[in-house]
Amino acid sequence: MGLGDIADGITRQIEWASDGLNEALFEPVVRLGVTGLSRAGKTVFITSLVANLMDRGRMPQLVPAAEGRILTAFLQPQPDDTVPRFDYESHLAAMTGPRPRWPESTRAVSELRLSFRVRPAGLLSGLRSPRTVHLDIVDYPGEWLLDLALLDADYATWSAETLERIAPRPMAARFLERVQATDTKANFAEPQAKDLAETFTAYLHAARADGYSDCTPGRFLLPGEMDGSPVLTFAPLPNPDTTPRRSLWREMERRFEAYKREVVKPFFRDHFSKIDRQVVLVDVLGAINAGPGQLEDLRRAMAEILSAYRPGRNAFLTQLFLGRRVEKILFAATKADHLHHRQHPQLTAIIEAMMREARDRAAFAGADTMAMSLAALRATTEDSIEHNGRTLDVVRGTLADTARSAAFYPGRLPDDPTRLLAPARDGAESWLDADYQVMRFAPSGAPLRPGEGPPHIRLDRAAQFLIGDKL
Ligand SMILES: Nc1nc2c(ncn2[C@@H]2O[C@H](COP(=O)(O)OP(=O)(O)OP(=O)(O)O)[C@@H](O)[C@H]2O)c(=O)[nH]1
Ligand SMILES: [Mg+2]
C-alpha cells in the first residue's frame, strides 16, 4: 500500500464522519424538476414514479432498491403551505382503476413530498442508523414553461419574432389580418386591445391543437383567475417608427413587461430556483407524427427554454440560479410504449440530436446529462405480425377513443436522426421517406400486483440517474 492510498483512506474516513454529522443535523432534500411542454407526460411521469418508488417490485435498475437499502417510502405533507398538494391518489386511481383513463391536463401548480428511510451504503453502513431523505416534486401546466424564454425578450423583439414565425401558419390568418388593419401609433383604446388579445388567443389555441409547441404567452391558454386582466390583454404588434405616448403600441409594451414581472417571474422564482435534479420530458413521437414543422418548432422551443440554464444569459435567471446548479439533467423521450423496443435506440438518438445544443450548454454549466426513451406508464405489449410477406414489429393496446383492442405499427424511425431533423429545419412540409402515426392507447387496466407499481419502460433507469446517488 502506497502513501497515496493511505492518505486517500484517511480523507475518505473524514468525509464519512462529517457526512454522518451533517445527516444527523439535516434531512437532505432533493428537489426534482419535472419539465415539459403541455401533454409531454409530466403528470403521468410523476404519478408513476411515486407509485413505483413506494412499491419497488418493478425497479430493478434503481440500485438502492435492488440492494434492499430502501426501508420505506411514504408520502408526507409538502413543505410549502400555500401550494396545493399533487393529487397523487386520484391520478393513480384514474390510470389503474377499473375504467382506466389518463389524468386531466394540469391547470395549476401542485407539489408532493415523498420521504425515504434508507440504510446507508458502504463498509460502515452497519454502524450507522437509517437516515431520511426527502424528494420534493412540483407539477405545473406545461404551457407556462414556454414563458421562460420570454424573460429575455423585450416587447419589440418578441413581437417581431412572433409575427414572422406565425406568418405562414393558416390558423394565424385572422389575427394577422387584424394586425394589418391596426394603427399601432393611434391612441390606446381598451376595446381594441381586447379584440387583438382575443384574436391572438384564438390563434394560440388553434396552433396548439395543430401540434405547435411555441405558444407564448402561456397564460393566454390557461389564464385562471387572471382572465381578462390587463396583464393578459396584449398581443404582438409590428414595430412602428415612432411610439407616441398613450399609443396602443406603448401600452401593449407596458403590459408585456407587466406580464413578465407579475406573472412569469414569480412562477419561476417560486418553483424553479431550488431545483437540484431535472428531467426534461419531450413528446418526440407526437411531434414527428404532427409533421416536420411541428418537430422543428419543438426543437427550437426546447432549446430556448433550456438555454435559460446557461449562466449569465439573463440577470434575473442568473440571480435565480445563483450559487446552485442543476447537477443532473435527464432528457427523456416519453410514450416509448408506442414503439416496439427494437426502435427505442432510434428514438433515443432523435431526442439526443434534438437536444444537442441545449445539452452542450448545460454541460458547460457543469451538469451531468443523459438521454433516454421511456414510458412512465406502459399501455401496450409487443408482438410481431406478418404483413404483405414482411414481419412487422408492432405494439398492441386498447384504443382510448373506441376501447377496441388494436395492433399498431407506427412507421420505421430512421437510424440517422438527421433524416428527420434536417428536413424539419429546412422547412419541409411533409416527411418524404415514411408516414408516422401515433395512436392514443388507454392505460392497460391490469390490476397492480402487491409490491409493484404500474408497468413502465425504463422508469427505474431514469430514477437511478436522477436520485440513485442520493439514496
Ligand atoms: N402510451 C402512453 N401514453 C402516455 C404516457 N405518458 C403520457 N401519455 C399520454 O400523454 C398524455 C399527456 O400526459 P400528461 O402526463 O397529462 O402530460 P402533462 O405534461 O402533465 O400535460 P399538461 O398537464 O397539459 O402540461 C396522456 O393523457 C396520455 O395520453 C405513457 O407513458 N404511455
Ligand atoms: Mg399535467
Side-chain angles (χ1 to χ4, degrees):
M1 193 192 267
L3 206 57
D5 295 317
I6 296 173
D8 189 36
I10 293 169
T11 43
R12 278 221 200 118
Q13 278 187 15
I14 293 170
E15 271 170 24
W16 264 336
S18 62
D19 261 353
L21 195 65
N22 278 336
E23 281 159 21
L25 295 174
F26 307 111
E27 296 181 344
V29 176
V30 185
R31 284 186 71 103
L32 175 64
V34 180
T35 297
L37 299 178
S38 107
R39 317 314 288 150
K42 299 180 293 298
T43 303
V44 173
F45 178 89
I46 296 169
T47 307
S48 186
L49 179 68
V50 170
N52 277 292
L53 287 172
M54 294 212 284
D55 288 300
R56 295 170 296 281
R58 291 183 191 268
M59 300 292 270
Q61 301 275 339
L62 176 62
V63 173
E67 291 176 352
R69 292 193 293 101
I70 303 179
L71 306 176
T72 53
F74 52 96
L75 292 171
Q76 294 240 57
Q78 75 269 30
D80 298 306
D81 287 334
T82 53
V83 181
R85 181 175 179 277
F86 178 78
D87 196 358
Y88 165 74
E89 291 80 6
S90 303
H91 295 320
L92 185 67
M95 291 190 285
T96 58
R99 269 184 33 256
R101 64 207 139 76
W102 299 104
E104 302 276 308
S105 188
T106 306
R107 309 196 66 82
V109 177
S110 64
E111 188 180 60
L112 194 71
R113 168 166 281 190
L114 180 66
S115 300
F116 301 88
R117 292 289 291 163
V118 282
R119 200 154 38 78
L123 281 177
L124 300 180
S125 63
L127 302 175
R128 293 159 67 193
S129 50
R131 57 201 184 95
T132 303
V133 180
H134 306 290
L135 178 67
D136 288 352
I137 312 179
V138 174
D139 190 27
Y140 58 89
E143 286 86 353
W144 298 0
L145 181 65
L146 282 166
D147 286 344
L148 194 53
L150 289 189
L151 287 174
D152 269 344
D154 56 30
Y155 177 63
T157 317
W158 174 73
S159 284
E161 285 177 2
T162 304
L163 292 172
E164 190 192 322
R165 201 177 48 244
I166 72 179
R169 300 181 188 172
M171 66 290 241
R174 201 163 74 88
F175 171 68
L176 294 171
E177 257 167 45
R178 284 285 214 294
V179 170
Q180 282 282 314
T182 302
D183 177 5
T184 56
K185 284 190 272 193
N187 269 0
F188 171 80
E190 189 68 41
Q192 192 182 19
K194 191 160 169 265
D195 178 61
L196 284 164
E198 279 171 5
T199 331
F200 186 61
T201 307
Y203 152 73
L204 290 175
H205 279 284
R208 185 180 52 168
D210 212 38
Y212 284 98
S213 304
D214 191 356
C215 303
T216 58
R219 294 289 164 120
F220 281 38
L221 291 164
L222 261 186
E225 60 198 24
M226 276 183 267
D227 202 7
S229 62
V231 281
L232 300 196
T233 312
F234 65 92
L237 290 177
N239 227 341
D241 42 7
T242 60
T243 55
R245 286 180 56 202
R246 281 200 285 275
S247 65
L248 176 68
W249 200 91
R250 277 274 192 111
E251 176 62 12
M252 292 293 207
E253 180 185 40
R254 194 193 67 76
R255 290 180 179 193
F256 179 80
E257 291 303 325
Y259 179 82
K260 281 164 42 180
R261 188 177 63 243
E262 311 289 340
V263 179
V264 184
K265 284 188 180 179
F267 171 63
F268 289 102
R269 189 180 53 228
D270 295 347
H271 301 292
F272 277 64
S273 56
K274 291 169 275 176
I275 285 171
D276 329 89
R277 306 287 163 103
Q278 172 108 257
V279 54
V280 179
L281 302 176
V282 191
D283 182 8
V284 179
L285 284 174
I288 294 174
N289 174 50
Q294 286 87 340
L295 185 66
E296 171 61 8
D297 182 58
L298 174 66
R299 188 198 63 77
R300 198 174 36 205
M302 295 311 297
E304 291 232 323
I305 290 163
L306 293 162
S307 67
Y309 291 89
R310 191 177 46 171
R313 146 115 182 208
N314 163 295
F316 168 75
L317 292 171
T318 307
Q319 188 89 37
L320 197 74
F321 298 121
L322 199 70
R324 297 190 65 96
R325 78 194 158 83
V326 180
E327 301 156 323
K328 285 169 169 249
I329 305 181
L330 174 67
F331 297 104
T334 52
K335 314 180 194 180
D337 56 329
H338 285 97
L339 291 178
H340 193 278
H341 77 269
R342 287 212 184 95
Q343 291 218 57
H344 289 182
Q346 283 85 337
L347 181 61
T348 307
I350 294 169
I351 185 165
E352 197 148 352
M354 268 178 84
M355 300 287 134
R356 179 135 315 136
E357 199 182 331
R359 209 176 157 171
D360 290 347
R361 289 174 181 173
F364 177 63
D368 182 8
T369 65
M370 179 171 171
M372 65 167 70
S373 310
L374 58 80
L377 199 108
R378 180 178 194 160
T380 64
T381 53
E382 297 187 339
D383 200 357
S384 297
I385 56 171
E386 297 298 321
H387 181 73
N388 293 342
R390 279 201 305 158
T391 307
L392 288 184
D393 291 328
V394 297
V395 294
R396 281 185 186 282
T398 307
L399 298 180
D401 299 330
T402 59
R404 289 223 319 270
S405 161
F408 172 65
Y409 179 70
R412 198 177 122 63
L413 294 177
D415 293 331
D416 175 3
T418 53
R419 296 277 296 275
L420 292 179
L421 295 174
R425 226 183 247 257
D426 297 342
E429 297 205 339
S430 59
W431 303 118
L432 276 185
D433 298 346
D435 200 12
Y436 299 102
Q437 280 183 34
V438 179
M439 298 254 100
R440 239 178 124 251
F441 291 110
S444 82
L448 297 187
R449 285 195 293 251
E452 287 187 354
H456 63 78
I457 299 172
R458 284 185 211 100
L459 196 60
D460 50 345
R461 286 195 48 209
Q464 173 59 28
F465 176 78
L466 289 168
I467 58 167
D469 62 321
K470 292 281 192 177
L471 297 177

